[in-house]
Amino acid sequence: MRRLRERAPMPKNPMGEAWFMGGERQMYTGLLQPDPQSWSKRELENALEALTSGPHSFDHSDEWSRWFDFLLPRALECDDDSQWYPLLVSAVFVHCLDPALPGREPGFRRDLLDTLGRRLMAPSCWNHGRAGGSDGLLQPLGGGFYAIAADGAISAACCLVLRYLDADSIDGWIESVLAIDDPAWRCAFVVWLAGAAVLMFNGAQPASMDNPIYLGIGWDGHWLLDGSIPARSLAPDAAQFAFFRPAQVLALCASLKHRLDLSTMLDWGEQLAALSIPEHDRTTTLWQYETAVVQVLDRYG
């Protein structure tokens, strides 16, 4: 966090909104206060929305890039950062469009993963080893027709790590993901794998995943991510980057073949059935998980 802050001092000029009509543009002057804890939460969230949606709709701006680098570590330091965590991940995908991170200092990738990439491992996300802590960010099992929630923060975090982690570190990451002894977490990860298959193998971008609701892995701002700046609809000739690099996908598949099998996933399904799921959602939720298992077996080999 210290290195991320030192690399990005406060810009001299305030950042402005992306979407406005008329002659006066709103400027987020409150973010020039030196203490992030004094910032208005609404103003910070509006600024993050602007610097995430702005490049997608209006092309690159140095102003938005400078403020992204400045806000990245400081937004994580604010109280209630769980409110905008998925949006902050989307901002990373916009401003680090090429997953190879050209032009970034060598240590940036590691610092990004060790801060934003580890946010779901904060104690506030867990309760006696089970996902679902005090800040409400990590909720792999909720209410609803399909109760397994692999969208939101879970999907944003998994996509962030897989997109920027070095290929030779992915097996260690998968080992740690599967080692978390929480049935809800494990089943949500299986659903995420099933939903993310279109990004891995179909060449889809988050904006065009089009998954059925029971395999939904969307998060705040994912609809802005089509692999290019500005949007492909505005600039069809703009360079487009694959969301996941082939080396990362190959490393993920190799790790899953080594560490995950049908017997294990069936055991997790039995553990899921033993959890407290509202009776009117139980049948559809168990079907949701079984469908995800079939998808994972089929798509990842």
Side-chain angles (χ1 to χ4, degrees), residues 33-99:
Q33 296 296 321
D35 182 10
Q37 300 297 343
S38 69
W39 293 347
S40 161
K41 295 175 184 176
R42 182 56 182 264
E43 187 172 34
L44 174 56
E45 188 169 11
N46 287 344
L48 291 174
E49 289 177 349
L51 62 81
T52 303
S53 65
H56 176 264
S57 300
F58 306 112
D59 210 347
H60 168 80
S61 166
D62 288 342
E63 172 191 308
W64 288 325
S65 293
R66 285 192 295 268
W67 274 93
F68 162 73
D69 283 356
F70 174 74
L71 291 178
L72 173 63
R74 293 163 178 89
L76 280 171
E77 291 181 312
C78 290
D79 294 335
D80 297 328
D81 66 303
S82 58
Q83 295 181 8
W84 48 75
Y85 173 81
L87 179 62
L88 189 57
V89 172
S90 290
V92 172
F93 294 151
V94 168
H95 290 272
C96 302
L97 186 60
D98 184 347

Side-chain angles (χ1 to χ4, degrees), residues 10-17 25-33 43 47 61-64 66-67 70-71:
M10 181 182 291
K12 295 180 180 179
N13 299 313
M15 193 192 104
E17 63 181 329
R25 182 188 185 200
Q26 179 184 357
M27 307 302 289
Y28 302 117
T29 55
L31 301 182
L32 293 173
Q33 296 296 321
E43 187 172 34
S61 166
D62 288 342
E63 172 191 308
W64 288 325
R66 285 192 295 268
W67 274 93
F70 174 74
L71 291 178

Side-chain angles (χ1 to χ4, degrees), residues 130-289:
R130 294 288 189 254
S134 59
D135 65 11
L137 183 61
L138 182 56
Q139 300 291 340
L141 193 63
F145 201 58
Y146 304 110
I148 302 172
D151 57 353
I154 291 178
S155 183
C158 288
C159 287
L160 177 80
V161 175
L162 183 58
R163 183 169 161 80
Y164 299 111
L165 190 63
D166 293 332
D168 58 4
S169 298
I170 285 176
D171 183 57
W173 172 58
I174 291 297
E175 181 183 18
S176 70
V177 168
L178 301 182
I180 297 173
D181 187 14
D182 176 17
W185 165 272
R186 287 171 165 172
C187 292
F189 184 68
V190 171
V191 173
W192 177 79
L193 286 173
V198 295
L199 302 174
M200 311 275 188
F201 309 114
N202 294 16
Q205 296 283 341
S208 59
M209 288 187 290
D210 198 27
N211 282 325
I213 187 172
Y214 52 85
L215 297 181
I217 62 166
W219 65 90
D220 193 3
H222 80 271
W223 50 84
L224 298 169
L225 309 173
D226 69 353
S228 66
I229 293 178
R232 299 282 287 178
S233 59
L234 300 176
D237 296 332
Q240 187 176 38
F241 295 91
F243 191 66
F244 294 126
R245 291 174 287 174
Q248 271 64 16
V249 175
L250 288 174
L252 175 70
C253 291
S255 181
L256 291 174
K257 289 176 182 179
H258 174 59
R259 300 189 180 278
L260 191 61
D261 56 27
L262 176 59
S263 177
T264 298
M265 288 189 284
L266 291 179
D267 287 344
W268 292 352
E270 292 178 0
Q271 296 172 24
L272 173 68
L275 296 180
S276 178
I277 303 172
E279 196 59 39
H280 57 277
D281 299 329
R282 174 172 295 277
T283 299
T284 51
T285 298
L286 297 180
W287 178 87
Q288 176 192 15
Y289 178 69

